[in-house]
Amino acid sequence: MGREFDALFDEWSRSYDQTVTGHDAEYEEVFYQYDKILDAVRDRATGFVVEFGPGTGNLTGKLLEKGMKIIGIEPSANMRKIAQKKHPDVKIIDGDFLNFHVQEKADTFASTYAFHHLTNEEKRAAISLFRTRLKAGGKIVFADTVFETEEAKQEMIREAKERGFCRLAEDLETEYYTTIPVLSSIFEENGFDVSFRKMNRFVWLMDAKMKGA
């Protein structure tokens, strides 16, 4: 359920903010226009927001600027500490996409750069769960690395290896990056209308709203 990556993110927490601002050549394209990606998620979020994988709290800060009520769900203890220090008035608790304890139903589930920690079956289980935990008219707004096809993913892995980007290639091969057709099917079978907008070579914005709302 993505918790197998907790140790990695505990380690990465010390340099995460440097990575997302373009100080790591291997991941520069992954985080290209990072602020605009966060802004796009923020602008589509409404009401009470449950944010999954807030990391060091960058999207959290954007949501706070909009005056939104937020609860963060973060599995990495070190990431939670950093985010909590940045945003002491926000409740940031241990949990993940499939295991979280929030009593109030959400208007929006939001996340950036995190949904790929779940296998496709876990993604399906998460979206099914979210439908039961959203208010009427609720929505899911995620931004994450997704590929148009499996062939496009394999081509990106080959390119990373050719450029000597070993960490990026290993990341793409190890984690559970999926495709737009797979995600479209998962959202639709769980009663969501979903749209996808390409934000950079890696990242797509997913905006899903419950049908009939």
Side-chain angles (χ1 to χ4, degrees), residues 44-105:
R44 287 160 179 77
T46 62
F48 168 47
V49 180
V50 174
E51 181 189 356
F52 290 99
T56 59
N58 297 325
L59 175 60
T60 313
K62 299 272 189 180
L63 293 167
L64 284 174
E65 289 171 3
K66 195 178 176 181
M68 311 196 81
K69 177 185 174 182
I70 312 151
I71 289 180
I73 311 295
E74 173 56 58
S76 164
N78 287 355
M79 290 286 195
R80 282 199 307 275
K81 289 175 185 176
I82 295 170
Q84 199 70 79
K85 187 174 181 180
K86 285 184 182 179
H87 309 298
D89 295 330
V90 176
K91 186 176 183 180
I92 301 173
I93 60 177
D94 184 23
D96 57 52
F97 288 103
L98 288 166
N99 297 281
F100 59 96
H101 302 287
V102 178
Q103 291 185 340
E104 182 182 350
K105 286 191 173 184

Side-chain angles (χ1 to χ4, degrees), residues 11-31:
E11 176 67 25
W12 196 12
S13 64
R14 294 195 293 265
S15 60
Y16 184 80
D17 284 343
Q18 288 71 40
T19 300
V20 300
T21 51
H23 291 81
D24 185 332
E26 290 200 34
Y27 285 87
E28 185 175 358
E29 288 189 324
V30 177
F31 291 103

Side-chain angles (χ1 to χ4, degrees), residues 127-159:
I127 299 302
S128 177
L129 174 61
F130 295 164
R131 183 171 178 80
T132 71
R133 303 302 305 277
L134 281 169
K135 297 176 186 176
K139 63 193 310 189
I140 298 167
V141 187
F142 287 174
D144 198 12
T145 294
V146 183
F147 296 95
E148 292 184 80
T149 63
E150 183 62 29
E151 291 76 18
K153 175 182 174 180
Q154 295 305 318
E155 178 58 34
M156 198 68 83
I157 293 170
R158 285 192 291 272
E159 179 184 315

